[in-house]
């Protein structure tokens, strides 16, 4: 299953609302996760089964969508949110990741 | 507290063998799949495969099948990723991660092991 994220790069300001889209080539039955990765660090799980917030993740992060189209929304960007975000499908082997969306400070 | 700790950085020559490790604590190691993920320099994430410590069952990404071997040692709560003959193209950061129940997402990650293969 191929995952295509858009955009690949996003330049935004603190306080902005941003949305990242992940499109799958096949239905994932909502087995879709979102991860945040900062430079030099391991990825961190943010959202699982498309819309469930992982414990400890701020509520400004939310996930939505179903089937083949999913979104990650950050309601009000904070300085610590500037990072790269990946979606991942877990419905079929081989598990695959989107190519990533890098969120940069404007 | 769940912790996943990987072995340190390695520098190897092409053709050499290597095994890196991933040690877990804070939960029943036997009950959760451990996945391995590759990140080549400046690139995205690739799922390599996973191993189930309970019975050493494995799943491989076809892109990595035959290129690496996944194993576990339950006695020391550790999973391993092994190469028999490294190539320069194996240069990357390798992460291990625990797969959660139900959602199957990767909820706890190791800090990553940088493997550099250079003559």
């Amino acid at each position: 299953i191929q995952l295509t994220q858009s955009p690949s790069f996003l330049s935004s300001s603190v306080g902005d609302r941003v949305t990242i889209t992940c499109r799958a080539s096949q239905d994932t039955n909502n087995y879709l996760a979102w991860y945040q990765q900062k430079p030099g660090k391991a990825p961190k799980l943010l959202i699982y089964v498309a819309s469930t917030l992982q414990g400890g993740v701020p509520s400004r992060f939310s996930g939505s969508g179903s089937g083949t189209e999913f979104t990650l929304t950050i309601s009000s960007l904070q300085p610590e949110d500037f990072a790269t975000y990946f979606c991942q499908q877990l419905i079929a082997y081989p598990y695959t990741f989107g190519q990533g969306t890098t969120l940069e400070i404007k | 507290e769940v912790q996943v700790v990987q072995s340190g950085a390695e520098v190897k020559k092409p053709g050499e063998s290597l095994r890196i490790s991933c040690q877990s604590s804070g939960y029943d190691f036997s009950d959760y799949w451990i996945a391995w993920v590759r990140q080549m320099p400046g690139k995205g994430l690739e799922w390599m495969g996973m191993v189930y410590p309970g019975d050493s069952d494995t799943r491989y990404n076809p892109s990595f099948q035959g290129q690496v071997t996944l194993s576990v040692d339950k006695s020391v709560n550790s999973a391993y990723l092994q190469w028999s003959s490294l190539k320069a193209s194996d240069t990357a950061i390798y992460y291990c991660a625990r797969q959660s129940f139900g959602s199957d997402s990767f909820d706890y990650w190791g800090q990553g092991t940088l493997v550099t293969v250079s003559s």
Side-chain angles (χ1 to χ4, degrees):
Chain A
I1 296 177
Q2 292 185 342
L3 298 180
T4 303
Q5 288 182 231
S6 59
S8 294
F9 296 94
L10 187 53
S11 184
S12 298
S13 302
V14 172
D16 283 355
R17 178 184 180 90
V18 299
T19 298
I20 299 168
T21 298
C22 178
R23 289 188 175 86
S25 60
Q26 299 174 39
D27 190 338
T28 68
N29 199 27
N30 290 1
Y31 276 77
L32 193 288
W34 289 96
Y35 300 88
Q36 176 194 68
Q37 187 179 32
K38 296 182 179 179
K41 299 294 187 183
K44 173 187 172 185
L45 177 64
L46 299 176
I47 302 278
Y48 58 91
V49 290
S51 60
T52 303
L53 200 64
Q54 173 71 346
V57 174
S59 59
R60 63 181 179 272
F61 291 91
S62 63
S64 63
S66 63
T68 61
E69 185 150 337
F70 301 89
T71 59
L72 172 69
T73 299
I74 310 172
S75 60
S76 177
L77 274 173
Q78 298 302 300
E80 60 269 29
D81 300 336
F82 291 93
T84 300
Y85 294 84
F86 295 94
C87 58
Q88 180 197 27
Q89 65 82 16
L90 299 129
I91 190 63
Y93 297 127
Y95 294 156
T96 47
F97 292 88
Q99 81 278 16
T101 295
T102 299
L103 183 49
E104 299 176 332
I105 301 175
K106 186 183 286 185
Chain B
E1 178 194 7
V2 173
Q3 290 193 318
V4 180
V5 179
Q6 297 184 231
S7 51
E10 301 275 1
V11 179
K12 292 289 190 178
K13 291 182 170 26
E16 291 186 332
S17 63
L18 175 65
R19 189 179 79 165
I20 62 174
S21 67
C22 168
Q23 187 172 41
S24 300
S25 61
Y27 70 96
D28 191 336
F29 181 66
S30 293
D31 288 349
Y32 292 78
W33 288 84
I34 294 290
W36 289 90
V37 175
R38 182 175 78 174
Q39 188 166 40
M40 298 179 77
K43 300 299 184 184
L45 304 172
E46 300 172 272
W47 177 76
M48 302 175 70
M50 49 209 291
V51 58
Y52 187 69
D55 60 4
S56 296
D57 192 13
T58 53
R59 302 281 187 272
Y60 287 94
N61 184 329
S63 296
F64 293 92
Q65 180 96 43
Q67 309 304 308
V68 298
T69 302
L70 305 183
S71 62
V72 294
D73 183 344
K74 288 193 292 184
S75 69
V76 290
N77 281 8
S78 292
Y80 303 98
L81 170 61
Q82 184 173 332
W83 295 261
S84 59
S85 182
L86 286 159
K87 310 182 200 50
S89 57
D90 292 319
T91 295
I93 297 173
Y94 294 88
Y95 294 101
C96 64
R98 189 185 83 162
Q99 184 178 40
S100 68
F101 284 145
S103 74
D104 290 348
S105 56
F106 299 169
D107 56 358
Y108 289 92
W109 292 67
Q111 80 278 19
T113 296
L114 173 62
V115 174
T116 303
V117 185
S118 174
S119 55

